[in-house]
Amino acid sequence: MLAETVCSAVAAAGLGIAAVTAYRKRFLTATRIAAYALVPAGLVLTGAVAWIARTAFSPSAWAGFGVLGLAWLLFMTTRTVERRRGTRKERAAAAPEAVTGGARPAVGGSTGAGKATQAPTAGKKQAGGDDDFSDIEAILKKHGI
């Protein structure tokens, strides 16, 4: 009963503020304030406030929320463990690779593809670095430094 009274008072106050705002020719803001003010009144009229009040003071409702929280905790724990370990299919697919040594080659490994991809990138980085310094040198010379 008290919750319904408070919600109705909040709605009335909000509508009063919306009226003052509309008087000041700020109609868009007044409409938005009126919309927010009507939400508590709508919750009272639909019975949602009474349902929340009954639920808040019910021990069985709190027990239900506790069970839901425990279920959520267990679900998230299993998801975290599954992500760290991987699924059964991923582990089964990884097992033959581990036995045959199918791991990724190290940088600069014995595969021809690894060397071919490493050499151009190293050259580009080195050439790019020289270009950066030449630009800086040109700027410094321009300013007489």
Side-chain angles (χ1 to χ4, degrees):
M1 183 76 170
L2 179 65
E4 287 89 356
T5 306
V6 170
C7 286
S8 299
V10 167
L15 290 174
I17 293 170
V20 170
T21 306
Y23 179 75
R24 294 180 180 171
K25 307 276 189 217
R26 299 187 69 198
F27 297 111
L28 186 63
T29 305
T31 304
R32 188 172 293 129
I33 292 170
Y36 281 121
L38 290 174
V39 170
L43 290 174
V44 167
L45 293 173
T46 60
V49 173
W51 177 80
I52 290 171
R54 281 193 314 263
T55 303
F57 298 111
S58 170
S60 62
W62 283 106
F65 285 128
V67 169
L68 287 174
L70 178 64
W72 178 82
L73 180 69
L74 292 173
F75 179 69
M76 295 309 291
T77 303
T78 57
R79 285 187 56 130
T80 303
V81 169
E82 186 179 63
R83 284 184 182 163
R84 288 188 181 179
R85 277 200 226 165
T87 61
R88 287 183 185 174
K89 291 179 183 178
E90 290 172 348
R91 285 181 288 181
E97 290 178 4
V99 172
T100 61
R104 292 188 309 215
V107 175
S110 62
T111 62
K115 288 182 181 177
T117 57
Q118 291 296 327
T121 56
K124 288 180 184 176
K125 287 181 183 176
Q126 191 174 19
D130 292 341
D131 288 338
D132 291 340
F133 288 122
S134 64
D135 293 342
I136 293 171
E137 288 175 9
I139 292 171
L140 291 174
K141 285 181 184 177
K142 179 181 175 182
H143 291 287
I145 298 175

